[in-house]
Amino acid sequence: MKTLILCLGLGLVAALQAQAFPATEENQDLSGTWYMKATASDKEIPGVELRSMSVTPMTITTLEGGNLQVNFTVLIEGRCEKINIVLEKTSVPKKYTAYGGTQEVYIVRSAVEDHFIFFWINNIQGEHYLIAKLVGRDPDLHQEVLKDFQNAVKAGGLNTESILIPRQSETCPQGSD
């Protein structure tokens, strides 16, 4: 199983490099407000109904040493869930880890200005998932950036039919947990 994950990870890196995305500058400041515009996954995630997901803008703060603090709230099945994640910088460019190294995150600059694609390799409840997330500085999803995301999803080995567009919300709706 570890070999499969390694192959998937290496294949993802090779595919992303082959996609010829502009390189993320080592000192790229990702701090600020970002909007998750689209997501794709290779599998259904237990207990999460992505089709009815609503997301708030996320805030990314660059920490000492190049780590990133990511904060956002997501409405899943009527409940607001606050998500706080520290992405730990690794020696590999564009690669971060989360949750003590159990998840890998590759942050790749989109071909469209002010957009990035986060590729997550997750291990949830003993299952491995690959998730791609398109984020941008504004909440609008233009055709050009969606096309670029579709190309990245294909290059990452995901099916473009799995792409979901979450509802944007400035705050979690009143009456939610």
Side-chain angles (χ1 to χ4, degrees), residues 12-154:
L12 175 62
V13 170
L16 292 175
Q17 289 172 346
Q19 185 68 21
F21 286 112
T24 303
E25 297 142 26
E26 196 60 30
N27 61 356
Q28 173 67 40
D29 185 12
L30 294 170
S31 292
T33 301
W34 293 89
Y35 296 86
M36 186 172 67
K37 298 182 175 192
T39 186
S41 178
D42 63 343
K43 298 179 188 174
E44 295 286 324
I45 301 171
V48 177
E49 178 52 53
L50 293 175
R51 295 198 185 282
S52 64
M53 185 171 66
S54 174
V55 294
T56 62
M58 66 178 161
T59 303
I60 299 179
T61 306
T62 302
L63 304 174
E64 191 172 322
N67 294 341
L68 302 174
Q69 173 76 45
V70 181
N71 300 304
F72 61 97
T73 303
V74 82
L75 179 65
I76 301 174
E77 298 175 358
R79 294 186 53 213
C80 290
E81 300 285 336
K82 290 183 181 182
I83 310 293
N84 301 303
I85 305 167
V86 173
L87 301 179
E88 298 173 10
K89 186 176 179 178
T90 69
S91 60
V92 177
K94 302 183 241 178
K95 179 182 176 183
Y96 295 80
T97 59
Y99 301 109
T102 61
Q103 297 183 17
E104 296 178 359
V105 182
Y106 293 86
I107 301 176
V108 180
R109 182 186 300 276
S110 168
V112 179
E113 186 177 352
D114 288 335
H115 289 82
F116 284 87
I117 301 166
F118 288 34
F119 283 94
W120 290 76
I121 301 172
N122 297 321
N123 182 10
I124 302 171
Q125 300 175 356
E127 290 286 325
H128 299 283
Y129 300 87
L130 177 59
I131 301 170
K133 297 181 182 196
L134 171 65
V135 301
R137 290 281 187 189
D138 66 71
D140 299 324
L141 181 60
H142 304 286
Q143 198 59 33
E144 178 186 13
V145 75
L146 182 57
K147 181 70 172 160
D148 184 59
F149 184 61
Q150 289 170 334
N151 291 337
V153 164
K154 283 183 202 172

